[in-house]
Amino acid sequence: MKHLLSTADLTRDEAILILDTANQLAQATGQGVGKLPPLRGRTVVNLFYEDSTRTRISFEAAAKRLSADVINFAAKGSSVSKGESLKDTALTLEAMGADAIVLRHGSSGAAHTLANSGWISGSVVNAGDGTHEHPTQALLDAYTLRRHLRDGAGDLAGATITIVGDILHSRVARSNVHLLKTLGANVRLVAPPTLLPFGVDTWGAEVSYTLDDALVGADAVMMLRIQQERMNAAYFPTIHEYSQRYGLNQARVNLMNQGAIVMHAGPMNRGVEITSEVADSPQSVIVEQVTNGVSVRMAVLYLMLGGNEATV
Ligand code: CP
């Protein structure tokens, strides 16, 4: 695996290999081994043009647990503010020894451009590009679903996953739909019509405007953050009305299958798309998603920089 840009690029076997590798690495580090050696001498750069808590810190933790050197670059406070381009920034980082660049950028397609432009020779991981994709989020979500619904092995064939909220602006939803379908799950998308993207009917998911209906028979629900920073118009009358129609409360959780889990990629708008009662309930795996993100990102970096390339 040279780059990870989109979950649409992953076959079922490639996705399963990443999830299985994450499982093995989680077991190894969980048994008190501490740091593992495979990326000793390699350098991973976190190149973040947009804010992040979970993704940036977990890539840093993942790289360090594999003994890589890590450079954290935030566009704020850098020469980007003087007009330096993505190309020149990446060339500068590669000149300092970057073997892989983990890129978060506000422009959809930025990671593809960096990977396919020929500017740099190293690997590129898409850590979120605009409203396009966030592949490692979908992989950690699949890992979490597999642990709870499938005893941590195989695929997600037959599972029903309901994704709710601001699908229009969500790179998390796009990456999840691709990957969940590749792993055999049934995917339901729920949102007001204004927050569904043009062409969503071609994604291979059931589309609904009614949350309660889409929760009946579901094995998991993924709540999406309302991305007000990307909204340049009024997509719903009021936050209160949105919350009434599309917010997850305990009564709605009770509509799902027994043992169903509640997910959110974070950061959450508590009281908007999810109540605190549900976010902090035993059915919520939101904090576990963060923990699993480190193992999954270790697997991606390992397979990209230190593992057997022929197997992915
Ligand atoms: N889920 C996610 O991408 O969170 P951050 O924006 O904090 O990285």
mmCIF file of all heavy atoms in Angstrom, residues 150-203:
data_model
loop_
_atom_site.group_PDB
_atom_site.id
_atom_site.type_symbol
_atom_site.label_atom_id
_atom_site.label_comp_id
_atom_site.label_asym_id
_atom_site.label_seq_id
_atom_site.Cartn_x
_atom_site.Cartn_y
_atom_site.Cartn_z
ATOM 1 N N ARG A 150 -19.237 -8.638 15.527
ATOM 2 C CA ARG A 150 -18.706 -9.839 14.878
ATOM 3 C C ARG A 150 -17.532 -10.452 15.635
ATOM 4 O O ARG A 150 -16.675 -11.103 15.030
ATOM 5 C CB ARG A 150 -18.253 -9.493 13.441
ATOM 6 C CG ARG A 150 -19.372 -9.069 12.506
ATOM 7 C CD ARG A 150 -20.288 -10.218 12.164
ATOM 8 N NE ARG A 150 -21.359 -9.844 11.262
ATOM 9 C CZ ARG A 150 -22.563 -9.409 11.655
ATOM 10 N NH1 ARG A 150 -22.826 -9.305 12.934
ATOM 11 N NH2 ARG A 150 -23.493 -9.101 10.779
ATOM 12 N N ASP A 151 -17.417 -10.218 16.925
ATOM 13 C CA ASP A 151 -16.328 -10.778 17.736
ATOM 14 C C ASP A 151 -14.939 -10.442 17.185
ATOM 15 O O ASP A 151 -13.986 -11.202 17.373
ATOM 16 C CB ASP A 151 -16.474 -12.308 17.866
ATOM 17 C CG ASP A 151 -17.681 -12.677 18.730
ATOM 18 O OD1 ASP A 151 -18.002 -11.908 19.652
ATOM 19 O OD2 ASP A 151 -18.298 -13.716 18.455
ATOM 20 N N GLY A 152 -14.833 -9.345 16.478
ATOM 21 C CA GLY A 152 -13.509 -8.854 16.055
ATOM 22 C C GLY A 152 -12.894 -9.566 14.879
ATOM 23 O O GLY A 152 -11.675 -9.458 14.666
ATOM 24 N N ALA A 153 -13.673 -10.302 14.096
ATOM 25 C CA ALA A 153 -13.090 -11.011 12.948
ATOM 26 C C ALA A 153 -14.027 -10.925 11.745
ATOM 27 O O ALA A 153 -15.220 -10.660 11.881
ATOM 28 C CB ALA A 153 -12.840 -12.469 13.310
ATOM 29 N N GLY A 154 -13.447 -11.160 10.571
ATOM 30 C CA GLY A 154 -14.243 -11.234 9.350
ATOM 31 C C GLY A 154 -14.789 -9.884 8.922
ATOM 32 O O GLY A 154 -14.236 -8.833 9.245
ATOM 33 N N ASP A 155 -15.900 -9.944 8.171
ATOM 34 C CA ASP A 155 -16.457 -8.697 7.639
ATOM 35 C C ASP A 155 -17.752 -8.340 8.391
ATOM 36 O O ASP A 155 -18.017 -8.853 9.476
ATOM 37 C CB ASP A 155 -16.649 -8.785 6.125
ATOM 38 C CG ASP A 155 -17.623 -9.884 5.728
ATOM 39 O OD1 ASP A 155 -18.424 -10.315 6.584
ATOM 40 O OD2 ASP A 155 -17.590 -10.314 4.555
ATOM 41 N N LEU A 156 -18.551 -7.469 7.813
ATOM 42 C CA LEU A 156 -19.784 -7.002 8.476
ATOM 43 C C LEU A 156 -21.021 -7.422 7.687
ATOM 44 O O LEU A 156 -22.062 -6.754 7.742
ATOM 45 C CB LEU A 156 -19.727 -5.474 8.626
ATOM 46 C CG LEU A 156 -18.619 -4.947 9.546
ATOM 47 C CD1 LEU A 156 -18.477 -3.429 9.411
ATOM 48 C CD2 LEU A 156 -18.911 -5.317 11.001
ATOM 49 N N ALA A 157 -20.909 -8.526 6.955
ATOM 50 C CA ALA A 157 -22.019 -8.973 6.107
ATOM 51 C C ALA A 157 -23.290 -9.121 6.935
ATOM 52 O O ALA A 157 -23.291 -9.751 7.994
ATOM 53 C CB ALA A 157 -21.663 -10.302 5.449
ATOM 54 N N GLY A 158 -24.360 -8.509 6.459
ATOM 55 C CA GLY A 158 -25.663 -8.641 7.097
ATOM 56 C C GLY A 158 -25.944 -7.633 8.184
ATOM 57 O O GLY A 158 -27.093 -7.499 8.619
ATOM 58 N N ALA A 159 -24.937 -6.907 8.659
ATOM 59 C CA ALA A 159 -25.178 -5.894 9.694
ATOM 60 C C ALA A 159 -25.878 -4.687 9.065
ATOM 61 O O ALA A 159 -25.645 -4.372 7.889
ATOM 62 C CB ALA A 159 -23.862 -5.467 10.328
ATOM 63 N N THR A 160 -26.725 -4.042 9.838
ATOM 64 C CA THR A 160 -27.425 -2.848 9.351
ATOM 65 C C THR A 160 -26.955 -1.634 10.149
ATOM 66 O O THR A 160 -27.070 -1.602 11.376
ATOM 67 C CB THR A 160 -28.952 -3.026 9.495
ATOM 68 O OG1 THR A 160 -29.356 -4.120 8.652
ATOM 69 C CG2 THR A 160 -29.690 -1.760 9.072
ATOM 70 N N ILE A 161 -26.401 -0.667 9.429
ATOM 71 C CA ILE A 161 -25.819 0.520 10.051
ATOM 72 C C ILE A 161 -26.573 1.749 9.551
ATOM 73 O O ILE A 161 -26.694 1.965 8.336
ATOM 74 C CB ILE A 161 -24.323 0.681 9.682
ATOM 75 C CG1 ILE A 161 -23.572 -0.659 9.753
ATOM 76 C CG2 ILE A 161 -23.684 1.775 10.535
ATOM 77 C CD1 ILE A 161 -23.555 -1.326 11.089
ATOM 78 N N THR A 162 -27.074 2.556 10.491
ATOM 79 C CA THR A 162 -27.803 3.775 10.154
ATOM 80 C C THR A 162 -26.904 4.990 10.410
ATOM 81 O O THR A 162 -26.367 5.142 11.509
ATOM 82 C CB THR A 162 -29.086 3.874 10.997
ATOM 83 O OG1 THR A 162 -29.908 2.735 10.711
ATOM 84 C CG2 THR A 162 -29.863 5.144 10.675
ATOM 85 N N ILE A 163 -26.728 5.824 9.381
ATOM 86 C CA ILE A 163 -25.882 7.023 9.478
ATOM 87 C C ILE A 163 -26.810 8.239 9.400
ATOM 88 O O ILE A 163 -27.603 8.356 8.462
ATOM 89 C CB ILE A 163 -24.836 7.060 8.354
ATOM 90 C CG1 ILE A 163 -23.981 5.783 8.378
ATOM 91 C CG2 ILE A 163 -23.958 8.299 8.465
ATOM 92 C CD1 ILE A 163 -22.953 5.682 7.248
ATOM 93 N N VAL A 164 -26.693 9.139 10.386
ATOM 94 C CA VAL A 164 -27.704 10.189 10.569
ATOM 95 C C VAL A 164 -27.076 11.578 10.612
ATOM 96 O O VAL A 164 -26.127 11.806 11.376
ATOM 97 C CB VAL A 164 -28.456 9.976 11.908
ATOM 98 C CG1 VAL A 164 -29.619 10.970 12.028
ATOM 99 C CG2 VAL A 164 -28.955 8.558 12.052
ATOM 100 N N GLY A 165 -27.633 12.501 9.850
ATOM 101 C CA GLY A 165 -27.284 13.901 10.054
ATOM 102 C C GLY A 165 -26.782 14.620 8.823
ATOM 103 O O GLY A 165 -27.338 14.456 7.736
ATOM 104 N N ASP A 166 -25.721 15.391 9.021
ATOM 105 C CA ASP A 166 -25.222 16.293 7.984
ATOM 106 C C ASP A 166 -24.395 15.528 6.947
ATOM 107 O O ASP A 166 -23.169 15.671 6.872
ATOM 108 C CB ASP A 166 -24.394 17.390 8.656
ATOM 109 C CG ASP A 166 -23.930 18.457 7.678
ATOM 110 O OD1 ASP A 166 -24.252 18.353 6.475
ATOM 111 O OD2 ASP A 166 -23.241 19.386 8.133
ATOM 112 N N ILE A 167 -25.081 14.721 6.160
ATOM 113 C CA ILE A 167 -24.390 13.877 5.169
ATOM 114 C C ILE A 167 -23.809 14.742 4.056
ATOM 115 O O ILE A 167 -22.746 14.441 3.510
ATOM 116 C CB ILE A 167 -25.366 12.804 4.649
ATOM 117 C CG1 ILE A 167 -25.657 11.821 5.796
ATOM 118 C CG2 ILE A 167 -24.806 12.050 3.440
ATOM 119 C CD1 ILE A 167 -26.890 11.005 5.643
ATOM 120 N N LEU A 168 -24.455 15.853 3.776
ATOM 121 C CA LEU A 168 -23.994 16.738 2.702
ATOM 122 C C LEU A 168 -22.532 17.147 2.892
ATOM 123 O O LEU A 168 -21.753 17.126 1.943
ATOM 124 C CB LEU A 168 -24.869 17.998 2.672
ATOM 125 C CG LEU A 168 -24.516 19.057 1.635
ATOM 126 C CD1 LEU A 168 -24.740 18.532 0.225
ATOM 127 C CD2 LEU A 168 -25.337 20.330 1.869
ATOM 128 N N HIS A 169 -22.150 17.479 4.122
ATOM 129 C CA HIS A 169 -20.807 18.008 4.376
ATOM 130 C C HIS A 169 -19.865 16.960 4.965
ATOM 131 O O HIS A 169 -18.738 17.305 5.337
ATOM 132 C CB HIS A 169 -20.891 19.194 5.343
ATOM 133 C CG HIS A 169 -21.711 20.332 4.830
ATOM 134 N ND1 HIS A 169 -22.982 20.611 5.289
ATOM 135 C CD2 HIS A 169 -21.458 21.241 3.862
ATOM 136 C CE1 HIS A 169 -23.469 21.655 4.646
ATOM 137 N NE2 HIS A 169 -22.568 22.058 3.766
ATOM 138 N N SER A 170 -20.311 15.695 5.055
ATOM 139 C CA SER A 170 -19.575 14.721 5.865
ATOM 140 C C SER A 170 -18.637 13.829 5.064
ATOM 141 O O SER A 170 -19.059 12.927 4.349
ATOM 142 C CB SER A 170 -20.544 13.833 6.641
ATOM 143 O OG SER A 170 -19.825 12.894 7.405
ATOM 144 N N ARG A 171 -17.336 14.030 5.260
ATOM 145 C CA ARG A 171 -16.339 13.104 4.692
ATOM 146 C C ARG A 171 -16.378 11.763 5.434
ATOM 147 O O ARG A 171 -16.055 10.728 4.878
ATOM 148 C CB ARG A 171 -14.956 13.738 4.763
ATOM 149 C CG ARG A 171 -14.539 14.246 6.132
ATOM 150 C CD ARG A 171 -13.398 15.248 6.001
ATOM 151 N NE ARG A 171 -12.940 15.778 7.278
ATOM 152 C CZ ARG A 171 -12.294 16.926 7.393
ATOM 153 N NH1 ARG A 171 -12.015 17.660 6.331
ATOM 154 N NH2 ARG A 171 -11.869 17.353 8.557
ATOM 155 N N VAL A 172 -16.796 11.807 6.705
ATOM 156 C CA VAL A 172 -16.930 10.564 7.476
ATOM 157 C C VAL A 172 -18.004 9.677 6.860
ATOM 158 O O VAL A 172 -17.821 8.460 6.701
ATOM 159 C CB VAL A 172 -17.259 10.892 8.952
ATOM 160 C CG1 VAL A 172 -17.592 9.623 9.738
ATOM 161 C CG2 VAL A 172 -16.116 11.648 9.608
ATOM 162 N N ALA A 173 -19.135 10.270 6.479
ATOM 163 C CA ALA A 173 -20.222 9.477 5.881
ATOM 164 C C ALA A 173 -19.787 8.871 4.550
ATOM 165 O O ALA A 173 -20.024 7.688 4.291
ATOM 166 C CB ALA A 173 -21.454 10.351 5.682
ATOM 167 N N ARG A 174 -19.120 9.664 3.716
ATOM 168 C CA ARG A 174 -18.703 9.148 2.405
ATOM 169 C C ARG A 174 -17.753 7.962 2.563
ATOM 170 O O ARG A 174 -17.914 6.929 1.923
ATOM 171 C CB ARG A 174 -18.038 10.245 1.574
ATOM 172 C CG ARG A 174 -19.038 11.179 0.918
ATOM 173 C CD ARG A 174 -18.357 12.407 0.316
ATOM 174 N NE ARG A 174 -19.352 13.315 -0.237
ATOM 175 C CZ ARG A 174 -20.155 14.091 0.492
ATOM 176 N NH1 ARG A 174 -20.084 14.074 1.808
ATOM 177 N NH2 ARG A 174 -21.043 14.879 -0.097
ATOM 178 N N SER A 175 -16.746 8.125 3.419
ATOM 179 C CA SER A 175 -15.786 7.020 3.590
ATOM 180 C C SER A 175 -16.467 5.809 4.205
ATOM 181 O O SER A 175 -16.162 4.668 3.847
ATOM 182 C CB SER A 175 -14.614 7.475 4.468
ATOM 183 O OG SER A 175 -13.753 8.315 3.738
ATOM 184 N N ASN A 176 -17.385 6.041 5.136
ATOM 185 C CA ASN A 176 -18.066 4.906 5.764
ATOM 186 C C ASN A 176 -18.965 4.168 4.786
ATOM 187 O O ASN A 176 -19.018 2.932 4.800
ATOM 188 C CB ASN A 176 -18.861 5.372 6.980
ATOM 189 C CG ASN A 176 -18.106 5.115 8.275
ATOM 190 O OD1 ASN A 176 -17.786 3.968 8.583
ATOM 191 N ND2 ASN A 176 -17.782 6.169 8.996
ATOM 192 N N VAL A 177 -19.678 4.882 3.946
ATOM 193 C CA VAL A 177 -20.569 4.185 3.002
ATOM 194 C C VAL A 177 -19.750 3.262 2.096
ATOM 195 O O VAL A 177 -20.089 2.088 1.908
ATOM 196 C CB VAL A 177 -21.402 5.187 2.183
ATOM 197 C CG1 VAL A 177 -22.155 4.470 1.063
ATOM 198 C CG2 VAL A 177 -22.399 5.919 3.086
ATOM 199 N N HIS A 178 -18.649 3.774 1.540
ATOM 200 C CA HIS A 178 -17.800 2.930 0.681
ATOM 201 C C HIS A 178 -17.347 1.673 1.433
ATOM 202 O O HIS A 178 -17.474 0.556 0.943
ATOM 203 C CB HIS A 178 -16.537 3.681 0.248
ATOM 204 C CG HIS A 178 -16.765 4.795 -0.717
ATOM 205 N ND1 HIS A 178 -17.519 4.653 -1.860
ATOM 206 C CD2 HIS A 178 -16.302 6.071 -0.732
ATOM 207 C CE1 HIS A 178 -17.524 5.798 -2.511
ATOM 208 N NE2 HIS A 178 -16.803 6.668 -1.863
ATOM 209 N N LEU A 179 -16.795 1.883 2.625
ATOM 210 C CA LEU A 179 -16.171 0.764 3.337
ATOM 211 C C LEU A 179 -17.211 -0.220 3.871
ATOM 212 O O LEU A 179 -17.034 -1.440 3.770
ATOM 213 C CB LEU A 179 -15.303 1.297 4.482
ATOM 214 C CG LEU A 179 -14.503 0.229 5.231
ATOM 215 C CD1 LEU A 179 -13.523 -0.488 4.297
ATOM 216 C CD2 LEU A 179 -13.737 0.844 6.408
ATOM 217 N N LEU A 180 -18.300 0.303 4.427
ATOM 218 C CA LEU A 180 -19.327 -0.595 4.974
ATOM 219 C C LEU A 180 -19.910 -1.473 3.879
ATOM 220 O O LEU A 180 -20.170 -2.660 4.081
ATOM 221 C CB LEU A 180 -20.426 0.228 5.656
ATOM 222 C CG LEU A 180 -20.017 0.908 6.972
ATOM 223 C CD1 LEU A 180 -21.092 1.883 7.436
ATOM 224 C CD2 LEU A 180 -19.750 -0.133 8.058
ATOM 225 N N LYS A 181 -20.114 -0.903 2.712
ATOM 226 C CA LYS A 181 -20.638 -1.707 1.600
ATOM 227 C C LYS A 181 -19.607 -2.749 1.157
ATOM 228 O O LYS A 181 -19.949 -3.892 0.862
ATOM 229 C CB LYS A 181 -21.058 -0.803 0.447
ATOM 230 C CG LYS A 181 -22.369 -0.069 0.744
ATOM 231 C CD LYS A 181 -22.737 0.902 -0.349
ATOM 232 C CE LYS A 181 -22.775 0.252 -1.712
ATOM 233 N NZ LYS A 181 -23.709 -0.867 -1.787
ATOM 234 N N THR A 182 -18.343 -2.352 1.092
ATOM 235 C CA THR A 182 -17.280 -3.308 0.732
ATOM 236 C C THR A 182 -17.252 -4.476 1.721
ATOM 237 O O THR A 182 -16.976 -5.617 1.346
ATOM 238 C CB THR A 182 -15.918 -2.584 0.712
ATOM 239 O OG1 THR A 182 -15.956 -1.579 -0.297
ATOM 240 C CG2 THR A 182 -14.763 -3.540 0.445
ATOM 241 N N LEU A 183 -17.574 -4.181 2.995
ATOM 242 C CA LEU A 183 -17.545 -5.220 4.032
ATOM 243 C C LEU A 183 -18.891 -5.936 4.169
ATOM 244 O O LEU A 183 -19.083 -6.736 5.082
ATOM 245 C CB LEU A 183 -17.132 -4.603 5.371
ATOM 246 C CG LEU A 183 -15.683 -4.089 5.424
ATOM 247 C CD1 LEU A 183 -15.414 -3.365 6.747
ATOM 248 C CD2 LEU A 183 -14.680 -5.227 5.232
ATOM 249 N N GLY A 184 -19.834 -5.632 3.300
ATOM 250 C CA GLY A 184 -21.080 -6.398 3.225
ATOM 251 C C GLY A 184 -22.228 -5.891 4.056
ATOM 252 O O GLY A 184 -23.267 -6.557 4.145
ATOM 253 N N ALA A 185 -22.075 -4.721 4.693
ATOM 254 C CA ALA A 185 -23.153 -4.203 5.554
ATOM 255 C C ALA A 185 -24.251 -3.542 4.720
ATOM 256 O O ALA A 185 -24.025 -3.119 3.578
ATOM 257 C CB ALA A 185 -22.575 -3.198 6.550
ATOM 258 N N ASN A 186 -25.450 -3.470 5.323
ATOM 259 C CA ASN A 186 -26.537 -2.661 4.761
ATOM 260 C C ASN A 186 -26.430 -1.270 5.376
ATOM 261 O O ASN A 186 -26.307 -1.151 6.596
ATOM 262 C CB ASN A 186 -27.906 -3.248 5.137
ATOM 263 C CG ASN A 186 -28.002 -4.719 4.809
ATOM 264 O OD1 ASN A 186 -27.669 -5.122 3.703
ATOM 265 N ND2 ASN A 186 -28.423 -5.516 5.779
ATOM 266 N N VAL A 187 -26.478 -0.253 4.542
ATOM 267 C CA VAL A 187 -26.298 1.114 5.042
ATOM 268 C C VAL A 187 -27.570 1.921 4.804
ATOM 269 O O VAL A 187 -28.127 1.919 3.706
ATOM 270 C CB VAL A 187 -25.104 1.811 4.345
ATOM 271 C CG1 VAL A 187 -24.874 3.196 4.959
ATOM 272 C CG2 VAL A 187 -23.839 0.964 4.456
ATOM 273 N N ARG A 188 -28.021 2.592 5.877
ATOM 274 C CA ARG A 188 -29.160 3.509 5.778
ATOM 275 C C ARG A 188 -28.656 4.925 6.057
ATOM 276 O O ARG A 188 -27.909 5.136 7.033
ATOM 277 C CB ARG A 188 -30.221 3.147 6.812
ATOM 278 C CG ARG A 188 -30.808 1.745 6.636
ATOM 279 C CD ARG A 188 -31.721 1.433 7.831
ATOM 280 N NE ARG A 188 -32.367 0.129 7.689
ATOM 281 C CZ ARG A 188 -33.069 -0.443 8.669
ATOM 282 N NH1 ARG A 188 -33.215 0.162 9.847
ATOM 283 N NH2 ARG A 188 -33.627 -1.627 8.484
ATOM 284 N N LEU A 189 -29.070 5.874 5.249
ATOM 285 C CA LEU A 189 -28.714 7.277 5.438
ATOM 286 C C LEU A 189 -29.972 8.053 5.787
ATOM 287 O O LEU A 189 -30.995 7.915 5.093
ATOM 288 C CB LEU A 189 -28.096 7.853 4.165
ATOM 289 C CG LEU A 189 -26.827 7.165 3.664
ATOM 290 C CD1 LEU A 189 -26.402 7.748 2.318
ATOM 291 C CD2 LEU A 189 -25.695 7.310 4.671
ATOM 292 N N VAL A 190 -29.903 8.867 6.841
ATOM 293 C CA VAL A 190 -31.059 9.643 7.282
ATOM 294 C C VAL A 190 -30.654 11.097 7.456
ATOM 295 O O VAL A 190 -29.676 11.397 8.154
ATOM 296 C CB VAL A 190 -31.595 9.140 8.640
ATOM 297 C CG1 VAL A 190 -32.918 9.831 8.953
ATOM 298 C CG2 VAL A 190 -31.762 7.638 8.636
ATOM 299 N N ALA A 191 -31.417 12.005 6.859
ATOM 300 C CA ALA A 191 -31.135 13.441 6.974
ATOM 301 C C ALA A 191 -32.321 14.211 6.434
ATOM 302 O O ALA A 191 -33.140 13.667 5.676
ATOM 303 C CB ALA A 191 -29.881 13.797 6.158
ATOM 304 N N PRO A 192 -32.414 15.500 6.783
ATOM 305 C CA PRO A 192 -33.390 16.331 6.064
ATOM 306 C C PRO A 192 -32.961 16.444 4.610
ATOM 307 O O PRO A 192 -31.756 16.343 4.309
ATOM 308 C CB PRO A 192 -33.314 17.682 6.783
ATOM 309 C CG PRO A 192 -32.079 17.657 7.604
ATOM 310 C CD PRO A 192 -31.669 16.239 7.808
ATOM 311 N N PRO A 193 -33.883 16.630 3.692
ATOM 312 C CA PRO A 193 -33.526 16.676 2.263
ATOM 313 C C PRO A 193 -32.426 17.684 1.953
ATOM 314 O O PRO A 193 -31.587 17.454 1.069
ATOM 315 C CB PRO A 193 -34.841 17.073 1.581
ATOM 316 C CG PRO A 193 -35.912 16.690 2.544
ATOM 317 C CD PRO A 193 -35.332 16.768 3.912
ATOM 318 N N THR A 194 -32.366 18.784 2.714
ATOM 319 C CA THR A 194 -31.362 19.822 2.459
ATOM 320 C C THR A 194 -29.949 19.380 2.828
ATOM 321 O O THR A 194 -28.975 19.998 2.397
ATOM 322 C CB THR A 194 -31.691 21.075 3.281
ATOM 323 O OG1 THR A 194 -31.950 20.677 4.641
ATOM 324 C CG2 THR A 194 -32.894 21.812 2.710
ATOM 325 N N LEU A 195 -29.824 18.335 3.637
ATOM 326 C CA LEU A 195 -28.492 17.872 4.056
ATOM 327 C C LEU A 195 -28.115 16.548 3.406
ATOM 328 O O LEU A 195 -27.265 15.820 3.917
ATOM 329 C CB LEU A 195 -28.424 17.784 5.587
ATOM 330 C CG LEU A 195 -28.397 19.140 6.308
ATOM 331 C CD1 LEU A 195 -28.385 18.961 7.822
ATOM 332 C CD2 LEU A 195 -27.187 19.966 5.874
ATOM 333 N N LEU A 196 -28.779 16.247 2.280
ATOM 334 C CA LEU A 196 -28.390 15.081 1.480
ATOM 335 C C LEU A 196 -27.742 15.584 0.186
ATOM 336 O O LEU A 196 -28.284 16.477 -0.473
ATOM 337 C CB LEU A 196 -29.614 14.233 1.143
ATOM 338 C CG LEU A 196 -30.180 13.412 2.304
ATOM 339 C CD1 LEU A 196 -31.563 12.891 1.955
ATOM 340 C CD2 LEU A 196 -29.240 12.262 2.668
ATOM 341 N N PRO A 197 -26.597 15.035 -0.213
ATOM 342 C CA PRO A 197 -25.925 15.533 -1.421
ATOM 343 C C PRO A 197 -26.626 15.080 -2.696
ATOM 344 O O PRO A 197 -27.295 14.040 -2.721
ATOM 345 C CB PRO A 197 -24.525 14.927 -1.324
ATOM 346 C CG PRO A 197 -24.673 13.754 -0.434
ATOM 347 C CD PRO A 197 -25.812 14.016 0.492
ATOM 348 N N PHE A 198 -26.441 15.860 -3.740
ATOM 349 C CA PHE A 198 -26.935 15.472 -5.059
ATOM 350 C C PHE A 198 -26.305 14.130 -5.433
ATOM 351 O O PHE A 198 -25.106 13.929 -5.254
ATOM 352 C CB PHE A 198 -26.540 16.554 -6.079
ATOM 353 C CG PHE A 198 -27.011 16.258 -7.464
ATOM 354 C CD1 PHE A 198 -28.348 16.431 -7.818
ATOM 355 C CD2 PHE A 198 -26.125 15.792 -8.431
ATOM 356 C CE1 PHE A 198 -28.783 16.145 -9.090
ATOM 357 C CE2 PHE A 198 -26.559 15.502 -9.707
ATOM 358 C CZ PHE A 198 -27.886 15.680 -10.040
ATOM 359 N N GLY A 199 -27.115 13.204 -5.946
ATOM 360 C CA GLY A 199 -26.590 11.904 -6.380
ATOM 361 C C GLY A 199 -26.491 10.867 -5.287
ATOM 362 O O GLY A 199 -25.984 9.771 -5.511
ATOM 363 N N VAL A 200 -27.007 11.173 -4.076
ATOM 364 C CA VAL A 200 -26.899 10.214 -2.967
ATOM 365 C C VAL A 200 -27.625 8.909 -3.292
ATOM 366 O O VAL A 200 -27.266 7.845 -2.770
ATOM 367 C CB VAL A 200 -27.430 10.853 -1.654
ATOM 368 C CG1 VAL A 200 -28.945 11.030 -1.684
ATOM 369 C CG2 VAL A 200 -27.001 10.047 -0.443
ATOM 370 N N ASP A 201 -28.602 8.976 -4.179
ATOM 371 C CA ASP A 201 -29.347 7.760 -4.555
ATOM 372 C C ASP A 201 -28.467 6.768 -5.312
ATOM 373 O O ASP A 201 -28.840 5.606 -5.470
ATOM 374 C CB ASP A 201 -30.582 8.139 -5.396
ATOM 375 C CG ASP A 201 -30.253 9.106 -6.515
ATOM 376 O OD1 ASP A 201 -29.453 10.035 -6.283
ATOM 377 O OD2 ASP A 201 -30.768 8.923 -7.624
ATOM 378 N N THR A 202 -27.295 7.183 -5.768
ATOM 379 C CA THR A 202 -26.390 6.263 -6.477
ATOM 380 C C THR A 202 -25.361 5.640 -5.533
ATOM 381 O O THR A 202 -24.495 4.880 -5.977
ATOM 382 C CB THR A 202 -25.624 6.998 -7.599
ATOM 383 O OG1 THR A 202 -24.753 7.978 -6.994
ATOM 384 C CG2 THR A 202 -26.575 7.687 -8.562
ATOM 385 N N TRP A 203 -25.406 5.942 -4.242
ATOM 386 C CA TRP A 203 -24.382 5.465 -3.303
ATOM 387 C C TRP A 203 -24.590 4.008 -2.878
ATOM 388 O O TRP A 203 -23.756 3.429 -2.197
ATOM 389 C CB TRP A 203 -24.355 6.325 -2.032
ATOM 390 C CG TRP A 203 -23.815 7.721 -2.212
ATOM 391 C CD1 TRP A 203 -23.617 8.395 -3.377
ATOM 392 C CD2 TRP A 203 -23.427 8.625 -1.172
ATOM 393 N NE1 TRP A 203 -23.131 9.659 -3.128
ATOM 394 C CE2 TRP A 203 -23.006 9.827 -1.784
ATOM 395 C CE3 TRP A 203 -23.400 8.546 0.223
ATOM 396 C CZ2 TRP A 203 -22.551 10.926 -1.048
ATOM 397 C CZ3 TRP A 203 -22.955 9.644 0.949
ATOM 398 C CH2 TRP A 203 -22.535 10.812 0.322
#
